[in-house]
Short mmCIF file of all heavy atoms in Angstrom, two decimals:
data_model
loop_
_atom_site.label_atom_id
_atom_site.label_comp_id
_atom_site.label_asym_id
_atom_site.label_seq_id
_atom_site.Cartn_x
_atom_site.Cartn_y
_atom_site.Cartn_z
N THR E 150 -0.41 6.49 39.95
CA THR E 150 -0.33 5.82 38.64
C THR E 150 -1.75 5.66 37.99
O THR E 150 -1.98 5.88 36.86
CB THR E 150 0.24 4.36 38.72
OG1 THR E 150 1.59 4.50 39.16
CG2 THR E 150 0.22 3.63 37.40
N ARG E 222 10.23 20.59 36.61
CA ARG E 222 10.17 21.76 35.72
C ARG E 222 9.70 23.05 36.56
O ARG E 222 8.57 23.49 36.32
CB ARG E 222 9.28 21.45 34.62
CG ARG E 222 9.69 20.21 33.90
CD ARG E 222 8.83 19.83 32.77
NE ARG E 222 8.69 20.88 31.89
CZ ARG E 222 9.52 21.18 30.85
NH1 ARG E 222 10.43 20.20 30.53
NH2 ARG E 222 9.36 22.16 29.99
N ASP E 242 33.31 10.23 36.62
CA ASP E 242 32.64 9.02 36.28
C ASP E 242 31.79 9.21 34.96
O ASP E 242 31.00 10.09 34.91
CB ASP E 242 31.67 8.52 37.41
CG ASP E 242 31.32 7.05 37.18
OD1 ASP E 242 30.53 6.90 36.28
OD2 ASP E 242 31.72 6.22 38.10
N TYR E 244 29.39 7.50 33.84
CA TYR E 244 27.99 7.34 34.08
C TYR E 244 27.21 8.67 34.42
O TYR E 244 26.16 8.98 34.00
CB TYR E 244 27.67 6.28 35.23
CG TYR E 244 26.28 5.91 35.45
CD1 TYR E 244 25.58 5.08 34.59
CD2 TYR E 244 25.56 6.44 36.52
CE1 TYR E 244 24.22 4.74 34.84
CE2 TYR E 244 24.18 6.16 36.73
CZ TYR E 244 23.57 5.29 35.97
OH TYR E 244 22.28 4.89 36.22
N LYS E 247 27.39 11.07 31.31
CA LYS E 247 26.29 10.78 30.24
C LYS E 247 24.95 11.20 30.71
O LYS E 247 24.03 11.59 29.91
CB LYS E 247 26.26 9.18 29.80
CG LYS E 247 25.75 8.25 30.79
CD LYS E 247 24.49 7.52 30.41
CE LYS E 247 23.92 6.73 31.52
NZ LYS E 247 22.63 6.26 31.37
N LYS E 255 17.33 18.72 28.90
CA LYS E 255 16.17 18.97 29.72
C LYS E 255 16.11 20.38 30.12
O LYS E 255 15.01 21.08 30.03
CB LYS E 255 16.24 18.09 30.97
CG LYS E 255 16.03 16.63 30.72
CD LYS E 255 16.27 15.88 32.08
CE LYS E 255 16.27 14.44 31.89
NZ LYS E 255 16.69 13.70 33.14
N ASN E 287 25.19 10.33 24.01
CA ASN E 287 24.21 11.15 24.68
C ASN E 287 24.35 12.67 24.35
O ASN E 287 23.45 13.42 24.20
CB ASN E 287 24.11 10.90 26.12
CG ASN E 287 23.33 9.67 26.52
OD1 ASN E 287 22.76 8.97 25.64
ND2 ASN E 287 23.29 9.40 27.83
N GLU E 294 18.98 17.64 19.43
CA GLU E 294 17.61 18.11 19.90
C GLU E 294 17.65 19.64 20.09
O GLU E 294 16.76 20.34 19.69
CB GLU E 294 17.19 17.43 21.18
CG GLU E 294 15.76 17.75 21.54
CD GLU E 294 15.26 17.09 22.64
OE1 GLU E 294 15.59 15.95 22.92
OE2 GLU E 294 14.30 17.64 23.40
N TRP E 325 21.60 1.92 21.01
CA TRP E 325 20.79 3.05 21.00
C TRP E 325 21.70 4.34 20.64
O TRP E 325 21.35 5.19 19.88
CB TRP E 325 20.17 3.44 22.34
CG TRP E 325 19.46 2.21 22.90
CD1 TRP E 325 19.82 1.52 24.00
CD2 TRP E 325 18.32 1.51 22.28
NE1 TRP E 325 18.96 0.39 24.20
CE2 TRP E 325 17.98 0.39 23.14
CE3 TRP E 325 17.60 1.63 21.17
CZ2 TRP E 325 17.02 -0.50 22.92
CZ3 TRP E 325 16.59 0.81 20.90
CH2 TRP E 325 16.28 -0.34 21.76
N SER E 357 24.57 -4.87 9.28
CA SER E 357 24.45 -6.25 9.95
C SER E 357 24.10 -6.22 11.34
O SER E 357 24.11 -7.24 12.04
CB SER E 357 25.88 -6.98 9.75
OG SER E 357 26.17 -7.06 8.45
N SER E 361 16.97 -3.27 14.27
CA SER E 361 16.46 -2.85 13.04
C SER E 361 16.51 -1.32 12.85
O SER E 361 16.65 -0.79 11.81
CB SER E 361 14.85 -3.16 12.91
OG SER E 361 14.73 -4.54 13.06
N PRO E 394 19.85 -7.00 0.84
CA PRO E 394 19.68 -8.02 1.90
C PRO E 394 19.25 -7.46 3.25
O PRO E 394 18.22 -8.04 3.84
CB PRO E 394 21.08 -8.66 2.00
CG PRO E 394 21.75 -8.32 0.73
CD PRO E 394 21.32 -7.01 0.31
N THR E 398 15.81 -8.54 5.24
CA THR E 398 15.98 -9.10 6.65
C THR E 398 14.98 -8.45 7.58
O THR E 398 14.45 -9.08 8.49
CB THR E 398 17.38 -9.04 7.15
OG1 THR E 398 18.20 -9.81 6.34
CG2 THR E 398 17.50 -9.55 8.51
N GLU E 403 9.68 -8.52 14.18
CA GLU E 403 8.37 -8.52 14.63
C GLU E 403 7.42 -7.69 13.78
O GLU E 403 7.89 -6.74 13.13
CB GLU E 403 8.25 -7.92 16.12
CG GLU E 403 8.95 -8.93 17.10
CD GLU E 403 10.36 -8.67 17.20
OE1 GLU E 403 10.97 -8.06 16.32
OE2 GLU E 403 11.02 -9.19 18.21
N GLU E 405 5.27 -5.13 14.14
CA GLU E 405 5.30 -3.81 14.16
C GLU E 405 6.46 -3.21 13.44
O GLU E 405 6.32 -2.18 12.70
CB GLU E 405 5.21 -3.29 15.63
CG GLU E 405 4.04 -3.68 16.43
CD GLU E 405 3.94 -4.96 17.01
OE1 GLU E 405 5.07 -5.73 16.91
OE2 GLU E 405 2.92 -5.28 17.70
N LYS E 430 9.38 -11.81 -4.33
CA LYS E 430 8.75 -12.88 -3.55
C LYS E 430 8.69 -12.65 -2.16
O LYS E 430 7.70 -13.04 -1.47
CB LYS E 430 9.51 -14.15 -3.80
CG LYS E 430 9.20 -14.92 -5.11
CD LYS E 430 9.87 -16.21 -5.22
CE LYS E 430 9.42 -16.96 -6.34
NZ LYS E 430 10.01 -18.27 -6.44
N TYR E 441 -2.18 -4.80 8.78
CA TYR E 441 -1.37 -3.69 8.40
C TYR E 441 -0.13 -4.06 7.62
O TYR E 441 0.28 -3.32 6.73
CB TYR E 441 -1.03 -2.72 9.60
CG TYR E 441 -0.42 -3.44 10.75
CD1 TYR E 441 0.87 -3.80 10.81
CD2 TYR E 441 -1.26 -3.80 11.92
CE1 TYR E 441 1.44 -4.47 11.99
CE2 TYR E 441 -0.72 -4.35 13.00
CZ TYR E 441 0.67 -4.72 13.02
OH TYR E 441 1.19 -5.35 14.11
N GLU E 465 -0.77 -14.34 -7.41
CA GLU E 465 -0.94 -14.06 -5.96
C GLU E 465 -2.14 -13.09 -5.71
O GLU E 465 -2.90 -13.43 -4.88
CB GLU E 465 0.36 -13.29 -5.50
CG GLU E 465 1.56 -14.19 -5.19
CD GLU E 465 1.31 -15.15 -4.05
OE1 GLU E 465 0.91 -14.70 -2.98
OE2 GLU E 465 1.51 -16.36 -4.23
N THR E 471 -9.56 -13.64 -2.64
CA THR E 471 -10.61 -14.52 -2.03
C THR E 471 -10.47 -14.58 -0.58
O THR E 471 -11.14 -15.27 0.13
CB THR E 471 -10.46 -15.99 -2.59
OG1 THR E 471 -9.14 -16.40 -2.25
CG2 THR E 471 -10.56 -15.99 -4.07
N ASP E 476 -11.02 -4.91 3.54
CA ASP E 476 -10.13 -3.98 2.96
C ASP E 476 -9.05 -4.55 2.21
O ASP E 476 -8.60 -3.95 1.15
CB ASP E 476 -9.43 -3.19 4.27
CG ASP E 476 -10.38 -2.19 4.76
OD1 ASP E 476 -11.46 -1.95 4.26
OD2 ASP E 476 -10.05 -1.68 5.84
N GLY E 676 13.12 5.93 8.67
CA GLY E 676 13.11 5.32 10.05
C GLY E 676 12.25 6.13 11.05
O GLY E 676 11.85 5.59 12.01
N LEU E 678 8.91 8.80 12.23
CA LEU E 678 7.47 8.78 12.03
C LEU E 678 7.11 9.43 10.70
O LEU E 678 6.15 8.98 10.10
CB LEU E 678 6.90 9.63 13.16
CG LEU E 678 6.35 9.03 14.30
CD1 LEU E 678 5.77 10.06 15.24
CD2 LEU E 678 5.21 8.03 13.94
N ALA E 679 7.90 10.38 10.22
CA ALA E 679 7.51 10.96 8.89
C ALA E 679 7.45 9.95 7.84
O ALA E 679 6.59 9.91 6.93
CB ALA E 679 8.53 12.14 8.57
N TYR E 682 4.27 7.91 8.22
CA TYR E 682 3.05 8.63 7.85
C TYR E 682 3.10 9.00 6.30
O TYR E 682 2.12 9.39 5.80
CB TYR E 682 2.82 9.85 8.68
CG TYR E 682 2.46 9.61 10.16
CD1 TYR E 682 2.95 10.44 11.09
CD2 TYR E 682 1.72 8.60 10.49
CE1 TYR E 682 2.64 10.37 12.41
CE2 TYR E 682 1.32 8.38 11.83
CZ TYR E 682 1.83 9.25 12.76
OH TYR E 682 1.47 9.13 14.10
N LEU Y 178 -1.73 0.50 34.18
CA LEU Y 178 -0.99 -0.13 35.24
C LEU Y 178 0.33 0.62 35.55
O LEU Y 178 0.73 0.68 36.69
CB LEU Y 178 -0.59 -1.57 34.81
CG LEU Y 178 -1.79 -2.45 34.47
CD1 LEU Y 178 -1.19 -3.80 34.00
CD2 LEU Y 178 -2.80 -2.67 35.63
N ARG Y 184 8.12 13.80 29.14
CA ARG Y 184 8.20 15.14 28.54
C ARG Y 184 6.94 15.88 28.85
O ARG Y 184 5.92 15.36 29.06
CB ARG Y 184 8.35 15.08 26.98
CG ARG Y 184 9.66 14.30 26.70
CD ARG Y 184 10.30 14.85 25.51
NE ARG Y 184 11.74 14.39 25.41
CZ ARG Y 184 12.65 14.97 24.73
NH1 ARG Y 184 12.35 16.09 24.12
NH2 ARG Y 184 13.75 14.48 24.71
N ASP Y 185 7.01 17.28 28.79
CA ASP Y 185 6.02 18.18 29.24
C ASP Y 185 4.82 18.12 28.26
O ASP Y 185 3.69 18.48 28.64
CB ASP Y 185 6.60 19.58 29.33
CG ASP Y 185 6.18 20.18 30.60
OD1 ASP Y 185 5.81 19.38 31.54
OD2 ASP Y 185 6.19 21.47 30.71
N ARG Y 207 -5.78 -1.50 12.97
CA ARG Y 207 -5.31 -1.44 11.58
C ARG Y 207 -3.90 -0.97 11.53
O ARG Y 207 -3.31 -1.03 10.49
CB ARG Y 207 -6.12 -0.44 10.70
CG ARG Y 207 -7.63 -0.82 10.79
CD ARG Y 207 -7.91 -2.28 10.48
NE ARG Y 207 -8.18 -2.43 9.07
CZ ARG Y 207 -8.69 -3.58 8.56
NH1 ARG Y 207 -8.92 -4.67 9.41
NH2 ARG Y 207 -8.94 -3.69 7.29
N SER Y 217 1.37 10.97 18.56
CA SER Y 217 1.56 9.61 17.97
C SER Y 217 1.65 8.56 19.05
O SER Y 217 2.42 8.74 20.00
CB SER Y 217 2.81 9.57 17.10
OG SER Y 217 2.58 10.59 16.03
N ASN Y 235 8.82 14.04 15.78
CA ASN Y 235 9.12 13.10 14.73
C ASN Y 235 10.28 12.14 15.21
O ASN Y 235 11.38 12.27 14.77
CB ASN Y 235 9.58 13.96 13.47
CG ASN Y 235 9.91 13.01 12.27
OD1 ASN Y 235 9.28 11.92 12.15
ND2 ASN Y 235 10.82 13.46 11.37
N VAL Y 236 9.86 11.19 15.95
CA VAL Y 236 10.98 10.36 16.46
C VAL Y 236 11.27 9.24 15.47
O VAL Y 236 10.66 9.01 14.48
CB VAL Y 236 10.40 9.60 17.86
CG1 VAL Y 236 10.05 10.58 18.96
CG2 VAL Y 236 9.15 8.73 17.52
N ALA Y 238 10.93 5.91 14.53
CA ALA Y 238 9.87 4.96 14.76
C ALA Y 238 10.45 3.53 15.00
O ALA Y 238 9.94 2.82 15.85
CB ALA Y 238 8.87 4.86 13.60
N GLU Y 243 11.84 -1.00 18.65
CA GLU Y 243 12.99 -1.80 19.19
C GLU Y 243 12.99 -1.64 20.68
O GLU Y 243 13.18 -2.56 21.52
CB GLU Y 243 14.18 -1.41 18.63
CG GLU Y 243 14.52 -2.01 17.17
CD GLU Y 243 14.83 -3.47 17.05
OE1 GLU Y 243 14.87 -4.06 18.22
OE2 GLU Y 243 15.10 -4.03 16.08
N TYR Y 246 10.15 -3.57 22.44
CA TYR Y 246 10.47 -5.06 22.61
C TYR Y 246 11.58 -5.28 23.67
O TYR Y 246 11.51 -6.19 24.42
CB TYR Y 246 11.10 -5.55 21.17
CG TYR Y 246 10.17 -5.42 20.02
CD1 TYR Y 246 10.65 -5.00 18.76
CD2 TYR Y 246 8.83 -5.63 20.18
CE1 TYR Y 246 9.90 -4.99 17.74
CE2 TYR Y 246 7.99 -5.51 19.03
CZ TYR Y 246 8.54 -5.15 17.80
OH TYR Y 246 7.75 -5.06 16.81
N TYR Y 272 9.18 0.99 37.55
CA TYR Y 272 9.51 2.38 37.55
C TYR Y 272 10.98 2.65 37.61
O TYR Y 272 11.51 3.50 36.86
CB TYR Y 272 8.78 3.18 38.69
CG TYR Y 272 7.28 3.50 38.31
CD1 TYR Y 272 6.32 3.07 39.07
CD2 TYR Y 272 6.98 4.27 37.24
CE1 TYR Y 272 4.98 3.40 38.80
CE2 TYR Y 272 5.67 4.62 36.91
CZ TYR Y 272 4.71 4.21 37.74
OH TYR Y 272 3.36 4.48 37.46
N GLU Y 277 15.87 4.10 34.55
CA GLU Y 277 17.31 3.79 34.24
C GLU Y 277 17.39 3.70 32.68
O GLU Y 277 18.41 4.14 32.03
CB GLU Y 277 17.77 2.50 34.91
CG GLU Y 277 19.21 2.21 34.71
CD GLU Y 277 20.05 3.34 35.20
OE1 GLU Y 277 19.81 3.86 36.36
OE2 GLU Y 277 21.03 3.68 34.50
N ASP Y 280 15.99 7.99 29.45
CA ASP Y 280 16.14 9.22 30.17
C ASP Y 280 15.71 10.31 29.21
O ASP Y 280 16.31 10.45 28.08
CB ASP Y 280 17.74 9.36 30.50
CG ASP Y 280 17.95 10.52 31.43
OD1 ASP Y 280 16.95 11.13 31.87
OD2 ASP Y 280 19.13 10.88 31.65
N TYR Y 283 15.20 9.23 25.83
CA TYR Y 283 16.33 8.65 25.11
C TYR Y 283 16.66 7.29 25.70
O TYR Y 283 17.05 7.23 26.83
CB TYR Y 283 17.54 9.53 25.04
CG TYR Y 283 17.47 10.75 24.26
CD1 TYR Y 283 17.18 11.94 24.90
CD2 TYR Y 283 17.48 10.69 22.91
CE1 TYR Y 283 17.13 13.16 24.18
CE2 TYR Y 283 17.35 11.79 22.12
CZ TYR Y 283 17.16 13.09 22.79
OH TYR Y 283 17.02 14.24 21.99
N GLN Y 285 18.65 4.35 27.14
CA GLN Y 285 20.01 4.14 27.63
C GLN Y 285 20.39 2.66 27.59
O GLN Y 285 19.61 1.86 26.98
CB GLN Y 285 20.06 4.79 29.05
CG GLN Y 285 19.66 6.26 29.08
CD GLN Y 285 20.60 7.14 28.36
OE1 GLN Y 285 21.81 7.14 28.56
NE2 GLN Y 285 20.10 7.90 27.40
N SER Y 287 20.33 -1.00 28.01
CA SER Y 287 19.20 -1.80 28.34
C SER Y 287 19.59 -3.24 28.44
O SER Y 287 18.67 -4.14 28.32
CB SER Y 287 18.05 -1.60 27.34
OG SER Y 287 18.53 -1.76 26.05
N THR Y 315 29.43 1.35 37.00
CA THR Y 315 29.21 2.39 36.06
C THR Y 315 30.05 2.23 34.81
O THR Y 315 29.63 2.57 33.69
CB THR Y 315 29.58 3.80 36.73
OG1 THR Y 315 30.96 3.69 37.18
CG2 THR Y 315 28.69 4.13 37.84
N LEU Y 355 6.32 -21.16 -4.05
CA LEU Y 355 6.12 -19.68 -4.31
C LEU Y 355 7.08 -18.93 -3.56
O LEU Y 355 7.65 -17.86 -4.14
CB LEU Y 355 4.67 -19.39 -3.82
CG LEU Y 355 3.56 -20.10 -4.58
CD1 LEU Y 355 2.17 -19.69 -4.06
CD2 LEU Y 355 3.61 -19.62 -6.12
N ASP Y 411 21.86 -12.75 4.14
CA ASP Y 411 22.17 -11.67 5.09
C ASP Y 411 22.29 -12.14 6.41
O ASP Y 411 21.68 -13.22 6.79
CB ASP Y 411 20.95 -10.68 4.99
CG ASP Y 411 21.29 -9.35 5.73
OD1 ASP Y 411 22.48 -8.92 5.68
OD2 ASP Y 411 20.36 -8.68 6.17
N THR Y 413 22.80 -10.78 10.73
CA THR Y 413 22.88 -9.68 11.76
C THR Y 413 23.44 -10.28 12.92
O THR Y 413 23.37 -11.39 13.20
CB THR Y 413 21.56 -8.97 12.09
OG1 THR Y 413 20.74 -10.01 12.57
CG2 THR Y 413 20.94 -8.36 10.86
N PHE Y 414 24.21 -9.38 13.69
CA PHE Y 414 24.99 -9.92 14.88
C PHE Y 414 24.59 -9.15 16.17
O PHE Y 414 24.17 -8.13 16.16
CB PHE Y 414 26.44 -9.77 14.65
CG PHE Y 414 26.97 -10.55 13.47
CD1 PHE Y 414 27.06 -9.87 12.24
CD2 PHE Y 414 27.18 -11.88 13.60
CE1 PHE Y 414 27.54 -10.65 11.12
CE2 PHE Y 414 27.63 -12.62 12.50
CZ PHE Y 414 27.74 -12.04 11.30
N ARG Y 444 19.80 -15.34 7.21
CA ARG Y 444 18.69 -15.71 6.34
C ARG Y 444 19.18 -16.24 4.98
O ARG Y 444 20.16 -15.77 4.49
CB ARG Y 444 17.88 -14.36 6.03
CG ARG Y 444 16.66 -14.49 5.22
CD ARG Y 444 15.91 -13.21 5.29
NE ARG Y 444 16.81 -12.13 4.90
CZ ARG Y 444 17.04 -11.80 3.57
NH1 ARG Y 444 16.65 -12.55 2.71
NH2 ARG Y 444 17.87 -10.78 3.37
N ALA Y 548 -12.91 -19.21 1.84
CA ALA Y 548 -11.64 -18.65 1.32
C ALA Y 548 -10.48 -19.71 1.20
O ALA Y 548 -9.48 -19.42 0.55
CB ALA Y 548 -11.19 -17.52 2.19
N ARG Y 600 -0.93 -24.10 -0.17
CA ARG Y 600 -2.39 -23.70 -0.47
C ARG Y 600 -3.13 -24.89 -1.09
O ARG Y 600 -2.49 -25.77 -1.71
CB ARG Y 600 -2.29 -22.56 -1.56
CG ARG Y 600 -1.83 -21.34 -1.01
CD ARG Y 600 -1.79 -20.11 -2.02
NE ARG Y 600 -1.40 -18.93 -1.38
CZ ARG Y 600 -0.86 -17.94 -2.07
NH1 ARG Y 600 -0.76 -18.04 -3.44
NH2 ARG Y 600 -0.43 -16.87 -1.56
#
Side-chain angles (χ1 to χ4, degrees):
Chain E
T150 297
R222 307 177 59 88
D242 195 292
Y244 184 78
K247 72 112 185 163
K255 291 177 187 169
N287 277 1
E294 184 172 334
W325 314 116
S357 301
S361 305
T398 298
E403 288 85 347
E405 291 88 1
K430 279 187 175 183
Y441 49 81
E465 282 293 309
T471 61
D476 284 350
L678 262 181
Y682 292 145
Chain Y
L178 304 176
R184 299 219 168 199
D185 227 20
R207 303 309 265 193
S217 300
N235 182 28
V236 298
E243 283 283 3
Y246 301 142
Y272 277 124
E277 188 56 46
D280 190 6
Y283 289 104
Q285 304 293 307
S287 51
T315 57
L355 296 174
D411 189 31
T413 58
F414 297 99
R444 186 167 52 78
R600 289 182 179 157

